[in-house]
Amino acid sequence: MVKAGQGAAARTSVWLEGKVRRGGRAGGQPSGLDRDRITEVTVRLLDAEGLAKFSMRRLAAELNVTAMSVYWYVDTKDDLLELALDAAFGELELPDPEADEDWRDQLRTVAREYRGLLVRHPWVSPLAGTFLNIGPHSLALSRIVHRVVRRTGLPAHGITGAISAVFQFVYGFGTIEGHFIARSAQAGMTQEAFFRHAMTTATRSPGAAEILKENEEIMTARGGDTVEEMRDRDFTFALDLLVAGIETMVTAAPQERGTASGSNSAPTHDHPPPDQPQ
């Protein structure tokens, strides 16, 4: 059986291989079983038990069918994981890039939604780094992200860099946050108790204790009564920094163009206002 990440050079994607969606029930197939239900149960198992423990045999047992019954609907485990990944992306509540709404608010909305998805489903992070992410829900996210960032007024050569700055940050932040929550649960502790335990353990290392001591003032100024509040403050501030950086680059871009062309004045006709689509 091919596992996620193995045979990646030969495999493309379940969305590219011309595989017919088998939603109906064929002769001898269990009643009530179809690809949607299999995908739904896969997501539930991944949430409950994690990616490492997931197997087609475990899924079949949960569905109360044989493993061969599952393979009638999906050819490989990778196919099923890809379907589950895109189903998770379908949970995102995305803004309408054509709506009369500031791009900053829309960018923050998409970033918060993506963070929440990564935290709810820690298995999304490794799978998103494994597959092509070209399912319909994943493509919907990509399309909206591009449209929102284009509305910032950044020059074309800066669009992908801005997307990377924001969403690689969210990917990393949400992944680490999801792992912390999972470790807390595995230890049978609340997040606060696990955080205190981690800090106490870290102080046993002289090097770590020194760094923690140096950062006491910063940690106090950070604020927040709970671990969740501290993370929310960090996320919001970091996202605000990125938005401010985009605003700065939008302002600087015309000047850079003017300098490059030997002019001290910046052309404005090819730089629409930040709140207008290019």
Side-chain angles (χ1 to χ4, degrees):
M1 183 55 56
V2 178
K3 296 181 180 179
Q6 293 183 347
R11 185 180 184 277
T12 56
S13 167
V14 69
W15 307 104
L16 289 177
E17 294 172 1
K19 296 178 180 178
V20 177
R21 181 181 179 85
R22 292 179 275 197
R25 184 165 68 94
Q29 295 303 312
S31 175
L33 189 64
D34 58 29
R35 184 177 265 187
D36 285 339
R37 173 156 167 69
I38 291 172
T39 303
E40 176 187 347
V41 174
T42 297
V43 170
R44 190 167 71 237
L45 280 177
L46 289 168
D47 286 344
E49 302 177 2
L51 182 59
K53 293 184 178 180
F54 181 80
S55 69
M56 298 296 269
R57 182 173 297 180
R58 175 70 184 90
L59 172 63
E62 186 71 12
L63 290 165
N64 196 28
V65 299
T66 65
M68 289 307 297
S69 296
V70 177
Y71 282 118
W72 192 85
Y73 296 94
V74 290
D75 291 341
T76 68
K77 178 180 172 181
D78 273 359
D79 287 351
L80 185 53
L81 291 176
E82 254 195 301
L83 292 171
L85 176 63
D86 199 63
F89 277 118
E91 297 176 11
L92 296 172
E93 295 185 10
L94 301 172
D96 178 2
E98 307 304 323
D100 184 18
E101 184 179 10
D102 192 278
W103 66 263
R104 299 161 186 83
D105 295 330
Q106 292 195 328
L107 191 63
R108 289 186 177 98
T109 294
V110 180
R112 286 193 296 265
E113 284 285 313
Y114 189 34
R115 173 197 172 192
L117 180 72
L118 292 165
V119 171
R120 288 193 306 275
H121 307 299
W123 50 271
V124 162
S125 176
L127 291 187
T130 298
F131 298 122
L132 289 177
N133 300 305
I134 56 172
H137 295 303
S138 180
L139 290 179
L141 170 63
S142 296
R143 185 176 298 110
I144 287 175
V145 167
H146 276 81
R147 288 181 179 176
V148 170
V149 175
R150 285 181 65 86
R151 293 183 63 207
T152 65
L154 283 169
H157 69 263
I159 298 296
T160 56
I163 292 172
S164 294
V166 174
F167 290 95
Q168 291 297 334
F169 151 68
V170 177
Y171 179 86
F173 194 101
T175 296
I176 293 173
E177 182 178 4
H179 288 175
F180 179 87
I181 293 172
R183 289 199 306 272
S184 301
Q186 289 166 3
M189 298 181 179
T190 65
Q191 292 187 54
E192 276 65 39
F194 188 78
F195 178 76
R196 289 193 298 270
H197 170 73
M199 291 298 99
T200 300
T201 303
T203 57
R204 297 175 187 170
S205 165
E210 182 180 353
I211 293 174
L212 290 172
K213 182 67 176 177
E214 291 175 356
N215 290 332
E216 277 184 1
E217 182 180 353
I218 294 174
M219 295 295 288
T220 301
R222 177 193 204 185
D225 295 328
T226 66
V227 172
E228 186 175 358
E229 287 180 3
M230 287 189 290
R231 279 198 304 260
D232 285 344
R233 290 186 180 209
D234 285 347
F235 182 83
T236 299
F237 189 79
L239 189 56
D240 285 346
L241 284 177
L242 291 169
V243 170
I246 291 174
E247 292 172 333
T248 299
M249 295 302 290
V250 169
T251 301
Q255 298 174 356
E256 292 173 357
R257 278 196 172 189
T259 301
S261 63
S263 170
N264 293 325
S265 60
T268 58
H269 63 276
D270 57 351
H271 287 278
D275 59 344
Q276 295 295 322
Q278 291 187 6

